[in-house]
């Protein structure tokens, strides 16, 4: 492994790059896929195994692990004032079914590495500094995603979260109970508490930083996102006997709707992102006219006014083009674009300068748990490049030097909160 990063700069603190990389690769073996990726979905046995590893590392450093009712994992470096609002840093441990080794987990392990480095240096911050792993950011097993941060922020109730079921009929509530049963001695925190600041390190999941040969992205905000569940209801029929004119073919209606959505919604401008990401046809038999088609739509745009317009137009197109079938459009996620704290962005840029790596402002095209923390407290994100901009794939990759640099930046941004005397005031 090449852990070479930028040259040391006077006054900058550094994490242990070798340890950080080793722990990332250790977690990559939990749920490892044949193609070199990771399948570690929310509240799975694999995620429980990743908790065991995280908690073991935390305890060995003298840190304090805890959880809450929605299955968020917290690891605290205790501060002098234990009742004061803590500073949080982290991301998520769950992955897509064929995900990569860095998405989400990098931000959690980087935060743990920062706390471990501070603990090794004997730093006691004035308030707790806490590493957090949010529950179900990905939404691959249980939809929609970001359940842990949404419940923490009061966007979604615990009761609503617990009722959601996966494709096998397993309820989030039952999976949460199994998670908590695996850690009976783990301290419980209240669901939601005041936070002084939040930072999240992450791979970019896009090609911009790599193309610009830039090590650190100072994230200015996250583009807006809407998701929809659309069900087209027709009528089942015999493929060999039912005349074409008499059919209520749900799949035929889908083709009309999908073509119009791709053309009008997906082609609205160069900034829109439109995806039909899941499709289910029933009864899905070769000689039966389909009676039901269910699709999941992901729609994103950085301009909230445009996003609202496109979401409304999407529903209108579905209604106009479904006949002779019926259609039901259900909005699942409505997350407007948000910006991040300007002072924290400046701190990230200064920290990158202190450790000697190039940085640039960048908008996040992907959604992150930081979206839900931004209304609660000063929040910001640190991006590092990923090869080819690839993410949510087994060949997702981040260079060791970039992995270390992002964690070094995170450490130096958190230093003022740790009152270690080496940072700058945010």
């Amino acid at each position: 492994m090449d852990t070479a990063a930028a040259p040391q700069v006077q006054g900058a603190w550094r994490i242990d790059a070798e340890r950080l990389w080793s722990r990332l690769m250790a977690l990559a073996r939990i749920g490892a896929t044949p193609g070199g990726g990771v399948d570690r979905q929310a509240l799975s046995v694999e995620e429980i195994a990743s908790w065991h590893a995280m908690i073991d590392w935390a305890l060995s450093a003298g840190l304090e692990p805890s959880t809450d009712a929605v299955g968020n994992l917290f690891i605290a470096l205790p501060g002098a004032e234990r009742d004061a609002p803590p500073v949080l840093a982290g991301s998520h441990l769950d992955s897509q079914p064929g995900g990569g080794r860095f998405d989400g987990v990098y931000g959690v392990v980087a935060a743990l590495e920062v706390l471990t480095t501070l603990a090794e240096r004997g730093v006691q911050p004035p308030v707790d500094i806490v590493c957090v792993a949010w529950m179900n950011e990905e939404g691959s097993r249980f939809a929609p995603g970001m359940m842990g941060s949404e419940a923490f922020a009061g966007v979604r109730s615990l009761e609503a979260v617990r009722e959601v079921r996966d494709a096998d009929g397993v309820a989030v509530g039952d999976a949460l109970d199994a998670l908590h049963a695996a850690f009976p001695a783990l301290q419980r925190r209240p669901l939601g508490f005041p936070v002084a600041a939040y930072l999240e390190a992450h791979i970019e999941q896009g090609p911009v930083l790599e193309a610009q040969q830039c090590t650190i992205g100072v994230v200015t905000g996250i583009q807006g996102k809407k998701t929809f569940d659309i069900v087209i209801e027709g009528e089942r029929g015999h493929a060999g006997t039912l005349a074409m004119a008499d059919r209520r073919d749900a799949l035929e209606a889908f083709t009309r709707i999908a073509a119009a959505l791709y053309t009008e919604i997906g082609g609205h401008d160069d900034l829109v992102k439109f995806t039909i990401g899941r499709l289910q046809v029933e009864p899905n038999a070769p000689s039966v006219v389909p009676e039901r088609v269910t699709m999941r739509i992901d729609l994103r745009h950085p301009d909230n006014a445009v996003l609202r317009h496109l979401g409304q137009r999407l529903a209108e197109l579905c209604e106009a083009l479904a006949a002779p079938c019926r259609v039901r459009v259900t909005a699942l996620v409505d997350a407007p674009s948000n910006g991040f704290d300007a002072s924290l962005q400046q701190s990230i840029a200064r920290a990158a300068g202190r450790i000697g790596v190039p940085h640039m402002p960048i908008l996040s095209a992907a959604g992150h748990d930081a979206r839900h923390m931004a209304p609660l407290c000063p929040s910001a994100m640190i991006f590092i490049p990923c090869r080819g901009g690839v993410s949510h794939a087994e060949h997702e990759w981040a260079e060791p030097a970039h992995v270390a640099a992002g964690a070094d930046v995170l450490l130096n941004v958190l230093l003022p909160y740790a009152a270690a005397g080496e940072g700058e005031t945010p």
Side-chain angles (χ1 to χ4, degrees):
M1 164 200 159
D2 177 14
T3 55
Q8 287 279 357
V9 175
Q10 184 66 33
W13 283 30
R14 299 288 182 143
I15 53 86
D16 185 330
E18 192 77 42
R19 179 172 59 200
L20 171 60
W21 186 264
S22 174
R23 287 177 172 179
L24 275 172
M25 295 304 104
L27 289 179
R29 291 191 287 272
I30 301 174
T33 60
V38 174
D39 184 357
R40 189 174 54 238
Q41 296 184 63
L43 304 177
S44 62
V45 294
E46 292 81 11
E47 189 173 37
I48 289 174
S50 72
W51 272 43
H52 280 293
M54 290 289 298
I55 290 170
D56 286 347
W57 293 329
L59 293 175
S60 70
L63 305 173
E64 295 182 359
S66 60
T67 187
D68 62 12
V70 80
N72 296 316
L73 174 64
F74 302 95
I75 295 171
L77 173 65
E81 297 183 39
R82 300 304 308 273
D83 294 332
V87 176
L88 266 59
S91 192
H92 60 97
L93 293 170
D94 65 311
S95 79
Q96 290 288 328
R101 306 182 192 185
F102 303 93
D103 176 9
V105 65
Y106 166 60
V108 179
V109 181
L112 175 65
E113 176 59 32
V114 167
L115 299 192
T116 303
T117 299
L118 292 173
E120 288 174 341
R121 290 188 176 225
V123 172
Q124 184 186 30
V127 301
D128 288 7
I129 302 181
V130 180
C131 164
V132 58
W134 302 108
M135 189 275 284
N136 187 35
E137 191 272 355
E138 294 289 359
S140 57
R141 180 185 179 191
F142 300 105
M146 302 189 198
M147 286 182 172
S149 57
E150 284 193 339
F152 182 92
V155 175
R156 190 178 303 270
S157 71
L158 177 62
E159 293 73 19
V161 167
R162 287 183 61 91
E163 290 174 357
V164 175
R165 295 182 179 271
D166 66 10
D168 296 321
V170 178
V172 170
D174 292 334
L176 274 174
D177 293 344
L179 171 77
H180 289 137
F183 302 93
L186 200 59
Q187 177 188 348
R188 290 285 190 96
R189 287 177 173 265
L191 179 55
F193 47 82
V195 178
Y198 176 72
L199 287 156
E200 182 167 351
H202 209 282
I203 60 170
E204 180 197 343
Q205 300 183 284
V208 176
L209 292 178
E210 184 181 56
Q212 296 296 319
Q213 297 184 326
C214 199
T215 305
I216 298 296
V218 182
V219 184
T220 58
I222 300 175
Q223 72 173 342
K225 174 182 177 180
K226 291 179 179 286
T227 65
F228 301 88
D229 186 74
I230 298 177
V231 180
I232 303 169
E233 298 276 4
E235 186 174 357
R236 187 182 306 210
H238 193 295
T241 62
L242 187 60
M244 298 298 291
D246 296 332
R247 296 185 179 193
R248 296 177 58 229
D249 186 333
L251 188 58
E252 182 190 22
F254 162 78
T255 63
R256 290 193 303 273
I257 291 171
L261 293 179
Y262 276 114
T263 299
E264 184 168 338
I265 305 300
H268 179 80
D269 61 28
D270 292 339
L271 296 177
V272 72
K273 303 292 189 303
F274 170 81
T275 305
I276 299 176
R278 179 180 294 176
L279 189 66
Q280 182 179 357
V281 181
E282 300 173 67
N284 203 26
S287 296
V288 181
V289 175
E291 68 176 343
R292 182 180 298 106
V293 172
T294 304
M295 59 176 160
R296 185 69 55 79
I297 286 178
D298 184 306
L299 174 64
R300 308 185 194 214
H301 200 282
D303 186 314
N304 286 326
V306 174
L307 186 63
R308 285 193 298 271
H309 165 72
L310 293 180
Q312 182 177 12
R313 184 60 182 149
L314 180 148
E316 292 171 352
L317 287 169
C318 289
E319 290 287 348
L321 297 172
C325 298
R326 300 185 306 275
V327 66
R328 182 173 70 254
V329 179
T330 303
L332 299 177
V333 171
D334 185 4
S337 296
N338 70 276
F340 287 129
D341 183 77
S343 294
L344 281 177
Q345 291 182 53
Q346 293 169 5
S347 294
I348 293 167
R350 287 196 299 266
R354 293 179 72 198
I355 68 169
V357 294
H359 61 277
M360 62 176 285
I362 188 171
L363 177 71
S364 177
H368 301 281
D369 292 300
R371 180 197 297 280
H372 299 298
M373 297 303 293
L376 303 183
C377 62
S379 300
M381 293 190 71
I382 300 163
F383 274 176
I384 63 170
C386 51
R387 183 186 296 165
V390 172
S391 185
H392 287 187
E394 291 178 309
H395 59 291
E396 172 187 282
W397 185 256
E399 294 299 327
H402 296 157
V403 166
D408 284 336
V409 169
L410 179 64
L411 170 60
N412 283 273
V413 173
L414 287 173
L415 279 177
Y417 296 101
E422 296 288 339
E424 299 178 55
T425 302

